[in-house]
Amino acid sequence: MKMKTFTGMIATVLATGALLAGCGATDNTASGNETPSTAGGENKQPTYTFRLAESHPADYPTTLGDKRFAELVNQKTNGRIKIEVFPSSQLGEEKAVIEQVQLGAIEFTRVSTGPLAEFNKAFGVFSLPYIFESEEHEWNFLNGPDAQKLLDGLSSSKFMGLAYYDSGARSFYTREPVKSIEDLKGMKIRVIQNKVNIDLMNALGASATPMPYGDVFNALQTGVIDGAENNWPSYYTSKHYEQAKNIIVDSHQRVPEVLMVSQVTWDKLSDEDKKAIKEAAAESVAYQREQWKKFEKEAEDTVRAAGVTVTEVSDLMPWQEAVKPMIEKYRPDYKEVLDAIENAKNK
């Protein structure tokens, strides 16, 4: 009798526990996973916590743009969607991150169109040299329908393009002085890991050396490479100017950044959440560009004050002539976009 009573008590406890477990849904979130709450018998919209991978430092203009984007998403979804920004390559270098975003292992990233071209060929057009005459010309194009078409086309590579961010113009910096195109000949120059950049170096007579961004400082320090190329803020924040104390400002490329999300993640979201994320991305651009312009000037002023030798290219004609065969080689691949970029001069 006692045994039956004890057994009955155990059964009652187990049943009560199961009932409580069934009624006790929580709002705790897991990265990339929705956790719908059914508390009170009402269905609530899912909550998410996502990660955004960023290769630059926490105070860099693109990172500030990322953070502004995350804030706007949080506001527009009443706190249901939280995006945590991980700067300084905490989640990996750009190429590795792009692969993880493609798989859905990382949800968001900000990435240069340079390495992105290895995953979506259309973005290789931005690595072609001297196709933009100025910042105004570049943004006339980026704000137009043809640039939006490129973002939409990322879906074929399992991404969703959200917005373009500014990254200024890229120029060459070297351990030894470069005063003209002739001085570049034979130099080992680090480039972004894509074929167009390798062809660019060949066209200018230099030796292309692809390597991850994080390896460049040591490579300059040890003489593995003779130089690299980038914009003023990256030249400054990376401290590359300490090892390569000469820069020749030729502005050969204006390579925009892309804010994007994994297609795997995108497909989980409701239309309402997609709309909020797109709006947040678009609204973050003005803030990012403002931060870029401010920091670009600070970086240039600081580098000049540090004693770097700055050479301004007064005549770009020899440089442009040297790369003409290369551009014609790629024209069949990018004819429609190149025509749109040319037309954007007049807007």
Side-chain angles (χ1 to χ4, degrees):
M1 182 68 180
K2 288 183 179 179
M3 181 60 71
K4 287 182 180 180
T5 302
F6 180 74
T7 302
M9 291 173 63
I10 292 295
T12 300
V13 170
L14 291 174
T16 302
L19 179 61
L20 289 172
C23 296
T26 70
D27 283 329
N28 293 333
T29 59
S31 179
N33 293 317
E34 62 180 83
T35 55
S37 172
T38 57
E42 295 180 3
N43 290 327
K44 291 186 178 180
Q45 291 176 295
T47 61
Y48 301 91
T49 299
F50 295 133
R51 296 181 300 169
L52 192 160
E54 170 60 64
S55 61
H56 290 300
D59 58 351
Y60 196 82
T62 53
T63 313
L64 296 177
D66 299 337
K67 291 177 179 178
R68 181 60 178 153
F69 163 66
E71 289 170 3
L72 288 167
V73 169
N74 195 254
Q75 290 172 15
K76 289 176 182 292
T77 61
N78 296 315
R80 288 190 303 102
I81 299 180
K82 182 180 180 182
I83 298 175
E84 298 177 344
V85 178
F86 290 82
S88 304
S89 298
Q90 291 179 54
L91 301 183
E93 289 286 349
E94 278 187 319
K95 188 173 185 293
V97 163
I98 296 172
E99 291 171 348
Q100 291 300 302
V101 172
Q102 195 173 45
L103 294 171
I106 297 173
E107 294 85 22
F108 291 82
T109 189
R110 184 290 315 160
V111 66
S112 169
T113 53
L116 184 56
E118 292 295 293
F119 297 82
N120 189 289
K121 185 179 177 182
F123 282 82
V125 70
F126 291 113
S127 293
L128 293 176
Y130 310 112
I131 59 174
F132 294 113
E133 291 184 341
S134 63
E135 178 187 354
E136 181 183 13
H137 178 199
E138 177 190 13
W139 282 94
N140 281 346
F141 173 74
L142 293 179
N143 288 327
D146 293 280
Q148 181 60 50
K149 186 177 176 182
L150 288 174
L151 289 181
D152 294 341
L154 281 170
S155 61
S156 65
S157 304
K158 299 183 180 180
F159 309 113
M160 172 59 66
L162 298 173
Y164 292 102
Y165 279 173
D166 201 353
S167 68
R170 301 174 75 94
S171 294
F172 293 101
Y173 49 85
T174 51
R175 286 158 52 94
E176 299 298 325
V178 171
K179 301 295 184 182
S180 68
I181 188 173
E182 284 74 23
D183 292 337
L184 269 180
K185 297 188 185 307
M187 280 192 169
K188 293 175 290 183
I189 304 294
R190 179 267 175 177
V191 294
I192 292 174
Q193 295 160 285
N194 71 36
K195 190 174 185 303
V196 177
N197 278 282
I198 293 172
D199 286 348
L200 168 59
M201 292 302 103
N202 292 336
L204 295 177
S207 175
T209 309
M211 69 172 58
Y213 182 68
D215 295 343
V216 177
F217 184 90
N218 286 338
L220 285 168
Q221 188 177 46
T222 57
V224 170
I225 56 175
D226 300 305
E229 49 82 49
N230 218 313
N231 51 53
W232 284 107
S234 291
Y235 182 42
Y236 166 56
T237 58
S238 63
K239 299 188 182 299
H240 291 174
Y241 71 94
E242 295 179 357
Q243 303 301 325
K245 299 179 181 295
N246 305 275
I247 183 168
I248 182 164
V249 185
D250 71 311
S251 301
H252 53 272
Q253 291 170 327
R254 292 182 179 272
V255 183
E257 313 282 355
V258 172
L259 181 65
M260 65 185 191
V261 58
S262 171
Q263 190 72 50
V264 174
T265 301
W266 191 250
D267 290 343
K268 293 178 183 178
L269 301 174
S270 67
D271 289 343
E272 180 184 348
D273 287 346
K274 289 176 181 178
K275 181 174 181 289
I277 288 171
K278 281 188 172 182
E279 287 178 354
E283 290 173 20
S284 72
V285 174
Y287 177 79
Q288 191 275 334
R289 290 187 65 190
E290 177 186 325
Q291 295 302 312
W292 180 270
K293 195 174 294 290
K294 177 183 174 183
F295 192 55
E296 187 174 47
K297 185 178 187 310
E298 291 177 4
E300 180 178 351
D301 290 348
T302 303
V303 165
R304 285 179 180 272
V308 165
T309 300
V310 180
T311 301
E312 304 280 353
V313 177
S314 57
D315 180 13
L316 273 175
M317 190 66 70
W319 302 74
Q320 293 167 330
E321 287 295 321
V323 302
K324 268 187 178 179
M326 172 202 164
I327 291 185
E328 291 309 309
K329 170 186 172 182
Y330 284 99
R331 187 172 294 280
D333 295 331
Y334 304 118
K335 184 180 185 308
E336 184 179 339
V337 180
L338 286 172
D339 288 346
I341 289 173
E342 183 68 22
N343 292 335
K345 286 181 184 178
N346 306 316
K347 291 183 179 180

